[in-house]
Amino acid sequence: MADVQHQNPPLIVSKIAIIGAGVSGIAATKHLSHHNPVVFEATDSVGGVWKTCAYNSTKLQSAHKDYEFSDFPWPNRDDPSFPTHVEIVDYLESYAKHFDVLKFVKFNSKVMELRFVGHRESIELAGNPGGYVSPLLGHPVWQVAVQTNDSQILQWYAFEFVVVCIGKYGDIPKSPNFPNNKGPEVFQGKVLHSLDYCKLDKDAATQLLKGKKVAVIGYKKSAIDLAVECAEANQGPEGQACTMVVRTLHWTVPHYWVWGLPFFLFYSTRSSQFLHERPNQGILRTLLCYLFSPLRRGVSKFIESYLLWKLPLQKYGLKPQHPFEEDYASCQMAIMPENFFTEADKGKIVFKKSSNWWFWKEGIQFDDNTKTKADVVILATGYDGKKKLKSILPDPFRSLIEYHPSGIMPLYRGTIHPLIPNMAFVGYIESVANLHTSELLSIWLARYVDEKFKLPSAENMLEQIFKEMEVSRRTTRFYKRHCISTFSINHSDEICEEMGWNSWRKRSWFAEAFSPYGSQDYSHKN
């Protein structure tokens, strides 16, 4: 940024800016297309993290028909297999072309800075009960600095409304902190983050891993996939084992069946979600939740019994100490690749559980004073989405991104920050089907921008946000994530009611009670 020059006005003025052309960005663009939005995408393609942050083996964790837009079904939607990241990017590109979204996108255009140029009253109104400002004011309130094709000159744009769709993943890696003289600088091997690994082609990735002692830090989906790729690159007697360094164990599932029953019966129907606490429930519903709590815990135990029978979790010391439902409630359940434990049985994947670790010159050392030699250490330790937002947002809004102590960004309907005027965020709430959630929220946002309904006061929006946070806090110890999985249908109901839609989307009471909800239920024809 130090060498980048700021171009003086004239500004390029338009109504709506959308930052990012991933899943959320293209969904928002499609539903706001009648406003001719300007879409800034830092890369040369739509697709977001599916394009820029996927391994060669990365697949979706659900079948095709569980990850599709309501008005654009997969051509092979009944295929029960999990689509690869290449297939997903192709699907997203087809969606963008079909709805003529690409004409709005400025590729290789990275947003470097945002400036609020609205009146001071806009901020004050946004924070006062009953005073939330209109979405389109007729004059610009945000200026956006954009760097195109790595140019040294920034072009400034001005907009009435900004939609941020850069997501929580990719771009800025989250790395552990180390004591002095115990960080990567003392290690004689190679250290990289999973974000760096994503950028390698298949040959380069194999060359990095083959014949090397590799340590993968983490035990979430990206770390699990990395360990499998490492094991596959080290087949044969000369191959080295991959060490997974596990700090927090989470439940993994081999597929979406439990003792012969489809997984959706346990968490993704109205009847199943009736067992779980949700925001805005009355006294009777609260009492019923309390009375049904043994059944809710029984469902979790039932699933755990299957996983312990199906997977050798106890053999490898990988059985979590917390209930399965806590991982589901925090959107941390992962699908285990079918050959993961096959490679572990062959000795190609080994596990080391440790709360703390640091580097030494030949590898990594643990808090029990044991050491593991390594040639390559890959940090599958996640991404810092909040830092990414703070890097472009100005004060005083930068300080509003995190609500303490949870650290969650307080967003009404997962989209509107009550204290940041004329701005929306799509793709920052997690559920069992993130694409479906982003699409429904994009529809909701477009109707809000078109003033087909009005938002509650900032005070009432914050009250709703805190209710959702409190439900999460009581449901799971991993509550520092904005996840709505256990009350996702109720969340969608409230969105539909706010838009003036019928919240019950099925054709019969039996289907309403016992069939899962998906994107197709929210198509306009319903």
Side-chain angles (χ1 to χ4, degrees), residues 7 16-17 34 86 101 114 120 134 195 213 254 323 353 406 496:
Q7 178 171 304
I16 296 176
H34 54 292
V86 175
V101 164
L114 293 169
R120 182 73 190 176
S134 299
L195 180 63
K213 296 184 182 72
K353 289 185 291 182
S406 70
C496 287

Side-chain angles (χ1 to χ4, degrees), residues 10 28 60 84 89 136 146-147 149 154 195 197 208 218 224 231 241-242 287 312 331 365:
L60 185 66
T84 67
V89 172
L136 297 177
V146 179
Q147 182 184 43
N149 294 319
L154 294 181
L195 180 63
Y197 182 84
L208 173 72
I224 291 170
C242 171
L287 177 61
C331 296
Q365 183 174 346

Side-chain angles (χ1 to χ4, degrees), residues 179-211:
N180 288 337
N181 299 317
K182 292 185 177 181
E185 70 280 358
V186 303
F187 178 50
Q188 296 174 350
K190 185 176 181 62
V191 181
L192 66 161
H193 192 273
S194 55
L195 180 63
D196 304 307
Y197 182 84
C198 290
K199 299 173 183 177
L200 303 176
D201 60 30
K202 189 171 183 179
D203 290 340
T206 300
Q207 185 176 358
L208 173 72
L209 304 174
K210 189 173 182 179

Side-chain angles (χ1 to χ4, degrees), residues 191-447:
V191 181
L192 66 161
H193 192 273
S194 55
L195 180 63
D196 304 307
Y197 182 84
C198 290
K199 299 173 183 177
L200 303 176
D201 60 30
K202 189 171 183 179
D203 290 340
T206 300
Q207 185 176 358
L208 173 72
L209 304 174
K210 189 173 182 179
K212 307 286 179 55
K213 296 184 182 72
V214 180
V216 174
I217 313 299
Y219 189 64
K220 292 186 180 178
K221 181 59 178 172
S222 60
I224 291 170
D225 286 347
L226 258 173
V228 171
E229 288 202 10
C230 181
E232 289 175 344
N234 279 281
Q235 296 300 302
E238 302 300 319
Q240 300 289 334
C242 171
T243 301
M244 290 195 76
V245 179
V246 183
R247 182 177 183 181
T248 304
L249 290 168
H250 292 286
W251 289 96
T252 57
V253 298
H255 46 64
Y256 289 115
W257 291 85
V258 177
W259 295 121
L261 298 173
F263 187 85
F264 70 76
L265 285 178
F266 302 104
Y267 289 106
S268 301
T269 65
R270 281 194 186 278
S271 57
S272 63
Q273 293 201 353
F274 190 80
L275 302 177
H276 297 270
E277 184 180 358
R278 70 186 190 191
N280 304 314
Q281 64 185 23
I283 296 176
L284 178 59
R285 177 67 189 272
T286 301
L287 177 61
L288 288 173
C289 275
Y290 175 76
L291 294 175
F292 284 137
S293 59
L295 181 57
R296 188 173 63 246
R297 288 193 293 270
V299 167
S300 184
K301 289 291 186 184
F302 183 74
I303 295 172
E304 290 165 32
S305 71
Y306 176 77
L307 298 178
L308 292 173
W309 171 78
K310 184 70 176 178
L311 302 174
L313 301 179
Q314 290 177 315
K315 173 183 176 181
Y316 290 107
L318 299 177
K319 178 184 178 294
Q321 296 304 305
H322 57 270
F324 172 84
E325 65 176 336
E326 291 197 36
D327 275 343
Y328 188 85
S330 56
C331 296
Q332 298 197 97
M333 182 189 77
I335 291 285
M336 182 67 74
E338 56 187 46
N339 59 333
F340 181 83
F341 284 113
T342 302
E343 297 299 336
D345 289 340
K346 293 192 302 188
K348 296 301 182 184
I349 300 175
V350 297
F351 307 97
K352 175 65 180 181
K353 289 185 291 182
S354 179
S355 298
N356 291 293
W357 63 276
W358 51 89
F359 286 95
W360 64 298
K361 65 178 182 178
E362 294 184 54
I364 52 182
Q365 183 174 346
F366 305 100
D367 50 10
D368 62 359
N369 291 323
T370 60
K371 295 180 177 180
T372 293
K373 290 186 177 182
D375 303 306
V376 179
V377 176
I378 306 179
L379 305 173
T381 48
Y383 303 92
D384 197 334
K386 297 187 187 76
K387 186 174 181 180
K388 183 163 54 168
L389 276 176
K390 290 177 181 179
S391 69
I392 61 173
L393 276 176
D395 285 327
F397 308 113
R398 186 182 295 129
S399 62
L400 302 176
I401 289 300
E402 292 182 80
Y403 172 76
H404 298 286
S406 70
I408 294 173
M409 180 159 58
L411 296 177
Y412 178 72
R413 304 300 184 215
T415 307
I416 297 292
H417 194 303
L419 304 180
I420 303 181
N422 296 78
M423 181 172 284
F425 303 82
V426 182
Y428 288 84
I429 188 171
E430 295 181 78
S431 69
V432 290
N434 289 332
L435 181 145
H436 156 60
T437 303
S438 291
E439 181 186 31
L440 185 59
L441 291 176
S442 294
I443 296 170
W444 177 88
L445 176 62
R447 293 176 72 86

Side-chain angles (χ1 to χ4, degrees), residues 496 501-507 512 517 521-523 526:
C496 287
W501 288 13
N502 183 1
S503 59
W504 282 42
R505 313 293 295 173
K506 304 287 188 180
R507 296 182 180 180
E512 279 289 351
Y517 260 88
D521 295 302
Y522 296 92
S523 64
N526 282 0

Side-chain angles (χ1 to χ4, degrees), residues 15-42:
K15 274 190 177 182
I16 296 176
I18 297 175
I19 306 174
V23 173
S24 301
I26 61 174
T29 304
K30 187 253 185 179
H31 291 286
L32 288 165
S33 59
H34 54 292
H35 289 291
N36 294 312
V38 179
V39 184
F40 301 110
E41 168 54 46

Side-chain angles (χ1 to χ4, degrees), residues 462-479:
L462 286 169
E463 182 181 359
Q464 171 67 20
I465 293 165
F466 296 151
K467 285 179 180 178
E468 293 181 10
M469 289 182 180
E470 185 60 22
V471 168
S472 295
R473 190 189 66 79
R474 287 197 291 264
T475 304
T476 174
R477 69 196 68 193
F478 309 111
Y479 61 89

